Every structure is written in structure tokens, then in C-alpha cells.
Amino acid sequence: MQIKMNKGKMIIPDNPTIPFIEGDGIGKEITTQVQKILDSAIEKSYSGTKKIDWLEVLAGEKAFTEVGTWLPAQTIDAFRNHFIGIKGPLTTPVGEGIRSLNVALRQELDLYVCLRPVRWFRGVATPLLHPEKVNVTIFRENTEDIYAGIEWAAGTSESKKVLDFLQNEMGVKNIRFPNSSSFGIKPVSREGTERLVRSAIEYAIENQLPSVTLVHKGNIMKFTEGGFKKWGYDLAEREFSDNTFTEHRFNQIKVEKGLNKAVEMYNHAIESGKVFIKDVIADAFLQNTLLKPEEYSVIATLNLNGDYISDQLAAMVGGIGIAPGANINYLSGHAIFEATHGTAPDIVGKNLANPCSLLLSGVMMLNYIEWYEPAKLITSSLEKLFKNGYATSDLARFMEDGKPLSTSEFSSKVIEYL
Ligand code: NAI
């Protein structure tokens, strides 16, 4: 049955239809196993009263082979009509005029949040002494910033026009090598910032998390990244004053009434369960995550910063290959959960692929539709497996007591440990 939206609230039937894209390369191997695990956990939790009705939709090489197009309109329609879906990795087609399929899907459904939870699983090898202190959820803005793709290559007539406009109409004088420069535009809007930061704050409040940190480079890019910080604080103070206390307000009180009063009001806010909204410059943030990761909980950041941050934090918990992700529009409800790695052409067909990135994305999907029991079962099964050294070889070879398993063996073990 179809998931429906009613006055901004998602109505989930007991047997929701969920479209899935199998994915290219290792996609087939991991998707089949992940569906089996999700189905088993749901069956174990609800004894047959709830069940996902999987609907395959085409994208990538499989779509190109079967219907002659990389991303058929029916696939986008299916995600639009059914609200949520899950996808394996897709080959980025090579050639002029063909967009990344992942980017195309995000744009078509205006999935403005790239959500990346990062935590450590005991047993997984990591470069940190205390990886257990890392537990963050990244809200990366997905539609704006320098990633909007507004660029002109050096030497083209377009870039000459842009140069002419900048120099002659805008009075720009500091382009160091004007004639060989390419140009890119970085749009960052108040609306774009607000919907992202609002989602992050609502998530922190709902999940009773201690803080939301706005990560930015507003010290250098005053109006774009600095705008993000300012609009983020304004939004928190305007819409969430009952549930949050901001660092911005803390600093104001410090000036108005002195440090002691500011600390007193901070302590009072935290004791009464308010979420602390703070900000940090992106480079300091990257240092701090290594030195004192326990200071961060929910992160709200722009597109480019978010790209770097997601990979660094995933690497810190040894999980770059198993990090889950989702692209979400919290306003319309649309969400696509996805493996964050690529198609791994070097290990296709060898039964070596690690299914955990897609599996943990499936866990995010279960949480999103509020099927918490099976989500918990899978997570604790993985916790037990990793603790005992069971993993696919990409992880097992770095584990102290690693016992490498194939994709299918590992997946069977996840089901056994549910
Ligand atoms: P990749 O992530 O496919 O592979 C990089 C390395 O990680 C390889 O050695 C691979 O064997 C390993 N690896 C990746 N996933 C693994 C898994 N689940 N288990 C075990 N090992 C794994 O990145 P690459 O080679 O740069 O890209 C290959 C293709 O995938 C390209 O067409 C690229 O555009 C696409 N891609 C798609 C993404 C997506 O759909 N979200 C993301 C990244 C790349």
C-alpha cells in the first residue's frame, strides 16, 4: 500500500510499498542481502503484522540496458508517489550532458538534507584512541553553495562575460590572474539555510540531543557562510526559543550582564533540557572533532563543508566503507536512503562486498517510518558481530581478532544474531 501524507504527517500502512534501486556493480549483491535482513528483522519484530512490499525501479546501467535511459521518469515518479525509497550505488555515466544520477534524484525531489549519522561500532579498527566518544548526526545542505554547479571554464566566452561584468560593473579589482581564471558562483540563501537548520534543530529536540553546531567559514565568506550562521541563530531564537539556548544569546548576555550571569543562564537552560545552539569555524571544527569529539552532537552545515566533514568523521570511526546516508526533504516527507560508497568495480561478483552501508541506511529508513523495533534488532546484531570480530574482509583484515566472511555469510550471521 502507498504511504500517504496528511497535513504534514506521514501515514505508514502496515505493508508500505517501498521502491528500491538495486544499483550497479556490487549493488545486486548487497541489495538482495539487505532486503533479506530487513525482512527478517521486521518479521521477528512484528510476527507478520507488518511487512515491506518491495517495488523494484530502474536506474543506472540496468535501466540503460533494459529501457535505454539512465534514469527513467517512472523511477522518479515512483519515489515521488511512494515518498521513500532505498538505493544501491550507481555508476556515474561518462559523457557530456549526463548528470550524476544521484544528483539528479536529489534535485528532482528537492531533497535538501543529506543526513549522515556517525557512530563507532566496538571492534571496528579506527585511528582514534577514544572512538566511542564520536556520536554525531550531520545535516549537510544539499541544494546550494558552490555545489550548485554554476561555473564557467577559463578561456570561454562565458567566463570573459563574467569577468567583464565583475570588473566593469561591480568594480572588482582583486582577481589575480583574470585572463586564465575559471569562475564559480556560491549561492547561499536565507530560505535554504532556514529549512536545513530547522530540520537539524527539530531532530535534536525530538531525539533529546544536547546541541546543534552550525559549522561555517563565515570569517572569510561573510555573506554566504556568515549568512548561514546568522540566519541559523536568528531562526533558533525566533522559532525555537522555548527549546533552545544559543551561544549568540550567551554572548549578548555576557556583554549586557557579565560572564557570571551568562554562565548562570546557560546552566539553567541546559538543566531544563534546552538544546544548545552554537557555531564553529569549519577548520577549527575539523581539529576539534579529533581532539574533543564529545563536544558535538548534531551538525548543521553547508554543502561543501558537509562533504569534507562527512568523510572525515566516518573515517574517524573506521566506517568510511560502512557509513549510511539519506537524502531527505522533511517538508514534503520525501526521502531516499542510500549506500554512500560507489559500485566497487574491482570486487564485483566476488561475494566480497560489505553490505553495511546500505544495511545501516535501511536502519535509518526503518527509524524514519518509526518502525523502531527491527531497527534496534539489526543495530544490536551488528554490535555483537563486530565485537566478536565477524565482518566482511574489508573490515575484518584490520580488526584485532578479525574473522573475514563473504557478503552472504556475513548477512546470514546478521540474521542469525537478530
Ligand atoms: P568505490 O566506492 O566504488 O570504490 C572505492 C574502493 O572501496 C574500492 O577499492 C572498492 O572495492 C571499495 N569498496 C567500496 N564499497 C565497498 C563495499 N561495500 N565493500 C567492500 N569494499 C568496498 O569508488 P570509485 O571506485 O571511485 O567509484 C566507482 C563508481 O561508483 C564510479 O562510477 C562512481 O561514480 C560511482 N560512485 C557512486 C556513488 C553512489 O552511487 N552513491 C558514490 C561514489 C561513487
Side-chain angles (χ1 to χ4, degrees), residues 308-378:
Y308 301 147
I309 287 170
S310 306
D311 275 20
Q312 166 167 319
L313 286 168
M316 280 164 45
V317 292
I320 192 84
I322 63 167
N327 295 295
I328 303 179
N329 181 323
Y330 282 96
L331 298 168
S332 68
H334 289 108
I336 299 183
F337 299 82
E338 63 174 7
T340 56
H341 54 73
T343 56
D346 50 333
I347 55 166
V348 176
K350 296 185 178 158
N351 201 13
L352 285 175
N354 188 339
C356 287
S357 173
L358 191 63
L359 179 59
L360 287 166
S361 302
V363 168
M364 289 171 74
M365 182 176 83
L366 293 175
N367 283 324
Y368 189 73
I369 59 172
E370 300 182 353
W371 289 13
Y372 300 118
E373 294 86 344
K376 246 186 242 154
L377 280 184
I378 296 170

Side-chain angles (χ1 to χ4, degrees), residues 54-333:
W54 296 107
L55 169 71
E56 180 165 11
V57 292
L58 297 176
E61 282 164 6
K62 193 168 181 182
F64 194 70
T65 314
E66 291 188 17
V67 295
T69 152
W70 290 92
L71 185 60
Q74 292 93 314
T75 297
I76 295 169
D77 288 345
F79 284 129
R80 189 172 283 126
N81 295 336
H82 293 286
F83 288 96
I84 60 176
I86 186 161
K87 62 173 275 294
L90 294 171
T91 304
T92 303
V94 181
E96 294 270 323
I98 306 177
R99 289 182 298 175
S100 150
L101 302 176
N102 298 306
V103 173
L105 273 172
R106 280 172 215 165
Q107 285 177 350
E108 289 289 342
L109 297 172
D110 194 20
L111 305 174
Y112 62 85
V113 172
C114 176
L115 184 68
R116 295 282 181 92
V118 183
R119 60 155 289 188
W120 179 61
F121 283 93
R122 192 163 296 281
V124 173
T126 138
L128 291 196
L129 278 179
H130 290 291
E132 72 283 358
K133 290 183 179 173
V134 183
N135 194 355
V136 301
T137 306
I138 304 162
F139 281 71
R140 166 185 168 192
E141 207 288 326
N142 233 353
T143 63
E144 296 196 304
D145 199 356
I146 203 77
Y147 273 35
I150 311 169
E151 289 193 299
W152 298 279
T156 59
S157 61
E158 287 89 350
S159 74
K160 284 195 190 105
K161 253 191 208 169
V162 173
L163 178 66
D164 180 64
F165 172 72
L166 291 174
Q167 291 184 325
N168 298 325
E169 293 193 37
M170 303 301 285
V172 173
K173 295 201 172 27
N174 54 354
I175 301 171
R176 182 68 185 80
F177 298 108
N179 296 321
S180 63
S181 288
S182 292
F183 296 97
I185 300 271
K186 180 181 172 82
V188 176
S189 68
R190 183 172 53 75
E191 284 101 319
T193 298
E194 285 184 352
R195 65 180 184 171
L196 186 274
V197 175
R198 188 181 290 116
S199 302
I201 295 177
E202 282 171 350
Y203 181 91
I205 293 171
E206 253 167 51
N207 292 283
Q208 298 178 339
L209 296 168
S211 65
V212 174
T213 306
L214 309 170
V215 182
H216 61 89
K217 281 290 291 177
N219 54 332
I220 305 295
M221 291 166 271
K222 309 266 185 217
F223 302 122
T224 50
E225 304 253 344
F228 178 82
K229 168 185 154 184
K230 179 186 178 317
W231 294 319
Y233 274 137
D234 287 352
L235 175 95
E237 285 168 8
R238 196 175 64 240
E239 293 186 9
F240 296 97
S241 59
D242 290 347
N243 304 88
T244 65
F245 184 72
T246 65
E247 189 178 9
H248 174 245
R249 184 76 195 109
F250 177 91
N251 289 332
Q252 278 178 341
I253 300 167
K254 210 162 69 177
V255 173
E256 287 162 16
K257 303 180 181 171
L259 177 64
N260 287 347
K261 187 71 190 166
V263 171
E264 185 194 314
M265 290 182 75
Y266 167 82
N267 286 338
H268 177 70
I270 300 309
E271 277 156 24
S272 51
K274 291 193 179 186
V275 179
F276 189 46
I277 314 291
K278 53 187 174 162
D279 78 280
V280 62
I281 307 281
D283 38 312
F285 173 76
L286 289 172
Q287 281 191 52
N288 291 348
T289 52
L290 291 169
L291 301 171
K292 39 186 182 178
E294 66 278 14
E295 290 198 354
Y296 299 106
S297 175
V298 176
I299 306 302
T301 193
L302 287 160
N303 213 334
L304 176 62
N305 297 330
D307 200 356
Y308 301 147
I309 287 170
S310 306
D311 275 20
Q312 166 167 319
L313 286 168
M316 280 164 45
V317 292
I320 192 84
I322 63 167
N327 295 295
I328 303 179
N329 181 323
Y330 282 96
L331 298 168
S332 68

